[in-house]
Amino acid sequence: MKAMEESTVLDAKVLELNMGPQHPSTHGVLRVKLKLDGERVVDAECIIGYLHRGVEKISENRSYIECVPYYDRTDYIAAVSNVYGFLLGVEAMMQIEVPKRAQYIRIMMTEFSRIASHLLWLATHAIDIGAMTVFLYCFREREEILKLFEALFGARLTTHAFRVGGLWKDLPPGFVEAARKFIDEFPERVDEYEQLLTKNRIWMARTQGIGVISGKEAIEWGLTGPVLRGSGVRHDVRKDRPYGGYEEFDFDVPVGENGDTYDRYLVRLEEMHQSRRIIQQVLDRLPDGPVRGKAPKIVKPPVGEYYSGIDGPRGELGYYIVSDGSAHPFRVRIRPPTFISLQVLRRLVKGHLMADVIAIIGTLDIVLGEVDR
Amino acid sequence: MIDFLKRIFLVDILKGMALTFRYTYRKVYTEQYPLEKPKLAERYRGAPRLNNDPVTGETLCIACDLCAEICPEDLIVVGSQRDPESRKKVLTHYTFDTSRCLFCGLCQEVCPTNAIELTQDFELAAYDRRSMVWDRKRLEKGWDRIDFGKDYHK
Amino acid sequence: MNENVFIENLLIYAVIPLIKIVVIVLVLSGAIAYLTLLERKLIAHIQVRLGPMRVGWHGLLQPIADGLKFLLKEDIVPAKADALIFTIAPAISLIPAFLVFAVVPFGPPDMLQDFLGWTLGWFPFLNLDEATTERIAQNAIASGGYVTDINIAVLFVLSVSSVGILGIILGGWASNSKYPLLGALRSTAQMVSYEVALGFAIIGVLLVAGSLSLVEIVQNQQQEQLWYIFVQPLAFVLFFICGLAETNRLPFDLPEAETELVGGFHTEYSGFRFSLFFLAEYANMIAVSAIGVVLFWGGWLRPFPSFEWLNFLNFIPGVVWFLGKVFLFLYVFIWVRGTLPRFRFDQLMQYGWKIFLPVAMANVIVTAGVILAFL
C-alpha cells in the first residue's frame, strides 16, 4: 500500500474509486475497486458475488430435467447455449440418440443465440464508449432473433430451449421463412454498424492498443472464446472437439492479430457472419424427422463423471457433471467463460486510463449472472 | 495519400453521419407498448390457466400431481380427495405461485390432460405478494387483467 | 422640452432594452426547453424509435412536464457537501450562459424601426411628437435586433463564457464526491485547452472583419456580400469542433460522460439545481450556435447575398434567417451526438493542443499574411 502511494506522479495519495455495483457500465452488478492516480489506474480489484444464487447447489437438489431452466439464468444473454452444454453432457452420459433434425435445429438456435449475444455485447460496448445509436440498432436486430426464440421456444430470454433427447416441439410454421429473412438482411445491418464504428477514428482511438494481451499470456490466464481468438489463437471447441454435429458444417474461426480491444471487436463481428453461414447451411440441409429422441421419463445417468464443453458466445462453457446414479446430479460444476476472463481484468487495466476500464470491461463481454452463478 | 486526404476531410465521420441522417426519416421500429399490445407467439409461456372441459365445464385436471412433481420450484400444490363411491381422485384445490414461477413450461409438458397451460398473457404485476398466489378459481378463469380503460395510458 | 429629451433617453437607454432583455430571456428559456425536446425526438428518430409521445401531441408538452418535475423534486444537498458553493454553483454556470445573448445580434440595427414607430403611438401618456418618435425609432440602440452592440463583443463572449466553467468546477468540487470531482477536473482541463483553440479560430474571422463588434462583423459580411465561412472554412471547422468541446457535447462530453463518471460534475445534483446545470448546457449550445452563425454564416443575412436573382428571399425578415441558421447549427449538434463515440480524456487533450491549436494558429498566420500581402 505504501509503495502504491509513492507511485503516483504528483506527491498525492491514490484515489480509491468504487465503480459499481450500481455503475452504468459495469454490465450488471460488477464492482471494481479502482485505485487511481489522477485518471490513471494504478490497481483494480474485482468484487463479485452480488448476483450469486447458487445455481450449482440448486442443481444438486433438482432432478436433471428440473435443473435445466436454472441454467438459462446463469448466462441469461445466451440462455440457449447454456442449456445446450448441459444437455449434451446428460445425453452423452445416458447415450441418448438425438435425432438429426433436432441436432440441426439445436445448432441453428445456438448460433442464433451467439448472434444475439454478440449483438448485445456490441450494443453495450458501443454505448460504453459513447456511440449510443449503435445500441439501438443492435437491439433492433436482437429483437428479431428474440421473436424467433419466442416462436420456437415460447420465451424470449430465459428460453428453456432444449429438452433431454431433443426439442420440446418442432419448428412452428413460418419459422424457416422468418429465419431466412433475418439472415438475408443481417449482413447489411452489420455493415451499418461497421460504417458507424469500424473506420471511425474515435472508435479506433478508443479501442486500438487498449487491453492488449498476447496469445501466450491469454492461454496462461485460461481465456477462451473471442477474447482468446482476438489474441491470435485459433481455438474453438466447435472445431477442436466437434459436438452435436458441428463437424458437418463449414465455417471459419476468425482470429485477431494484436489482442487488443479493436481486434476482439473485429473477431466478434466476423463471428456473427460465420454464425450466419452456419444457419444458412442448416436451413438449406434441414432434414425431416422427429425432433425428440427416445429419452426415459426419469433421467438417471449411470454413475460416473462427464465433462461437456461447448463454445458459447463468450468462450468455452463447460459442465462437469457427477452422477451417483440417482435422478439428481451429485454435483454440477459450471465452467463459466466470463468468470475466468474477468480475472484478467486487473492485468489489463493497469496503467490505462479510467475510460479504458469501461472499454475493457466491455470487451471481455462479461455477464454477471454467469460470473456469480 | 488518399488515406491521408480521407482523414483530413473526416470521411470516416461523415460516412457515419450520413447513415444516421438516412435513419432519421425512416419508419420507426419500436412499439408503443401499453397502447399497442405486442403479438405474442402461440407457444408463449405466460400466465397459467387451469383448463375446463369446454363441453361439460368440469375441470380437466385429474389430480395426478405430475405438475407439482416436476415443478423445479415446487410452487404448484394440488389437493385431491378420493371419491368414496367411484374411487376416483377428485381435485379439491389447486394453487400456483406466480411470483416464484420460472415459466419453464415443464408443468404443461407433463400434464396428461392439458389441464394446466401457460397462456399468452404476460402482465402479471400485482400490488402485493399474496395476490400472486393464484387459487383454483382464478386459474380457471384465466388471468383477468385489470382494465384501466382506454384513456388510462394516455 | 427637457422632459421630452428625458423621456426619449429613458426609452432608448432603459425601457426598450429592458423589454428586449425580458423578451430574450423568456424566449430563450422556452427555446432551451424545446431544444431538449428536439434533441430527444431527433435522437429517437435517428435510433428508429419515437421518443416522448405521451405528454401532449407527440410529446409537445414534455418540456413543461419535465420542468414541473424538476421543480417538485426534493432538493438534496449531500451531507458532506460544501453547502454554500454547492448551492450557488448552478447559478454561476447558468448566468454567463444567458449573459452571452446580451451582445448577440438577432437582427439588423434597424430591425425594430417600423415596429417602434408603430407601437410608440399606443402610449399617448408619453406625449411623444412625431419627430421624437422618429428619433427613437432611428436610434440603433432602441431599434437594433440586439440588446447592446459593444465594440468588444467577441472578447465579452469569450470572457463571459469562461466564467461558466467555474460553475462546473465548483459544483464538482463542492459535491465532495469522487465522480463529480473527476468530472470537474476533466472539464477544467478540457474547457481551458479548447478555449484557446476556439479563440484562435475566431481571430481568423476578426482579421478578415477588422472588428470585434458582432454587429459590425455581420455588416462587413453584408458589404462584402460573402459569408465568412467561404473565406475562413478551416476556422469554421475548428470553431465547430471546439464549440462541441466547449459545450460538453459528444464526442467531447467527458465531464459528464455518463458511462464512465456516472453523471460527471452533476452526479450529486438533483431537482431544480440539476435543471439549472441542464439549462446552462443547452443555453451554451444555443450561444455557441448563435456566435457561430454571426461569425461564419452571416448572422441575419440571407444565403448568398451576392446573387441578385435570390433577392426575393429578402422578404423574409433577417431575424428569421438568423433563427433558422441557429436551428441548423443545433440540429448538427444533436446529429453529431447521435452518431459519434466519445473521446478519451488524454486523446481529447492531444487533439486540442497538438492538432486544433497549431492548425488554428497556422490559419491565423496565413490569414494575416494574405491580408498584409494583398489587401
Side-chain angles (χ1 to χ4, degrees), chain C residues 330-350:
Chain C
L330 293 171
Y331 186 99
V332 178
F333 266 65
I334 297 170
W335 178 15
V336 166
R337 179 171 176 214
T339 310
L340 295 181
R342 181 183 300 124
F343 272 112
R344 202 175 60 206
F345 182 62
D346 60 323
Q347 290 160 354
L348 175 100
M349 299 303 275
Q350 240 169 40

Side-chain angles (χ1 to χ4, degrees), chain A residues 120-330:
Chain A
L120 192 101
W121 158 81
L122 179 61
T124 49
H125 191 36
I127 204 167
D128 285 350
I129 295 182
M132 58 170 159
T133 300
V134 180
F135 180 82
L136 271 293
Y137 291 172
C138 290
F139 263 71
R140 179 187 53 184
E141 270 71 78
R142 183 166 173 269
E143 177 69 23
E144 292 297 326
I145 297 179
L146 293 188
K147 276 180 185 161
L148 292 176
F149 285 177
E150 188 186 310
L152 175 57
F153 302 137
R156 292 156 54 89
L157 196 70
T158 48
T159 48
H160 193 195
F162 310 130
R163 307 290 192 270
V164 178
L167 298 168
W168 174 32
K169 282 178 182 171
D170 202 350
L171 297 178
F175 183 91
V176 175
E177 291 73 33
R180 266 193 205 286
K181 185 163 169 284
F182 175 81
I183 59 167
D184 286 346
E185 285 171 2
F186 187 62
E188 250 175 69
R189 299 295 169 82
V190 178
D191 284 349
E192 284 176 355
Y193 316 144
E194 293 221 42
Q195 200 178 336
L196 283 169
L197 298 177
T198 306
K199 287 276 174 239
N200 188 306
R201 70 188 66 193
I202 304 174
W203 181 261
M204 285 163 94
R206 283 300 302 275
T207 52
Q208 279 177 342
I210 304 301
V212 182
I213 189 162
S214 70
K216 190 168 165 287
E217 213 180 336
I219 295 173
E220 281 167 2
W221 277 95
L223 301 181
T224 48
V227 187
L228 178 64
R229 294 196 276 268
S231 303
V233 182
R234 203 175 291 276
H235 169 80
D236 189 324
V237 189
R238 290 176 293 176
K239 283 273 188 211
D240 302 346
R241 282 180 273 129
Y243 53 87
Y246 265 107
E247 61 277 4
E248 294 169 34
F249 299 101
D250 184 28
F251 62 97
D252 300 329
V253 180
V255 290
E257 282 167 21
N258 308 319
D260 59 3
T261 303
Y262 188 67
D263 276 18
R264 290 191 277 270
Y265 157 78
L266 291 179
V267 164
R268 287 196 176 102
L269 278 190
E270 184 54 33
E271 273 182 21
M272 289 202 266
H273 284 299
Q274 295 303 330
S275 292
R276 183 188 157 269
R277 254 177 86 190
I278 297 173
I279 295 168
Q280 183 98 51
Q281 293 170 43
V282 171
L283 288 173
D284 289 345
R285 297 197 240 145
L286 196 60
D288 285 332
V291 291
R292 197 152 184 182
K294 281 194 186 113
K297 275 270 184 286
I298 296 166
V299 180
K300 271 189 186 171
V303 180
E305 303 170 2
Y306 193 84
Y307 174 82
S308 90
I310 66 159
D311 191 75
R314 276 155 255 281
E316 179 169 347
L317 172 71
Y319 286 86
Y320 183 70
I321 308 163
V322 183
S323 165
D324 57 356
S326 71
H328 297 209
F330 180 73

Side-chain angles (χ1 to χ4, degrees), chain A residues 16-19 23-25 39 127-130 132-133 137 200 202 205-206 210 353-356 358, chain C residues 43 46-47 49 178-179 182 186 250-251 258-262 337-344 346-347:
Chain A
E16 203 169 285
L17 188 72
N18 255 317
M19 204 177 201
H23 189 278
S25 32
E39 289 241 347
I127 204 167
D128 285 350
I129 295 182
M132 58 170 159
T133 300
Y137 291 172
N200 188 306
I202 304 174
R206 283 300 302 275
I210 304 301
L353 293 175
M354 199 193 142
D356 296 329
I358 306 295
Chain C
I43 289 208
I46 284 175
Q47 298 168 345
R49 57 197 176 88
K178 286 167 185 173
Y179 285 112
L182 282 172
R186 282 181 173 190
L250 261 170
E258 54 184 30
T259 47
E260 292 159 23
L261 295 184
V262 189
R337 179 171 176 214
T339 310
L340 295 181
R342 181 183 300 124
F343 272 112
R344 202 175 60 206
D346 60 323
Q347 290 160 354

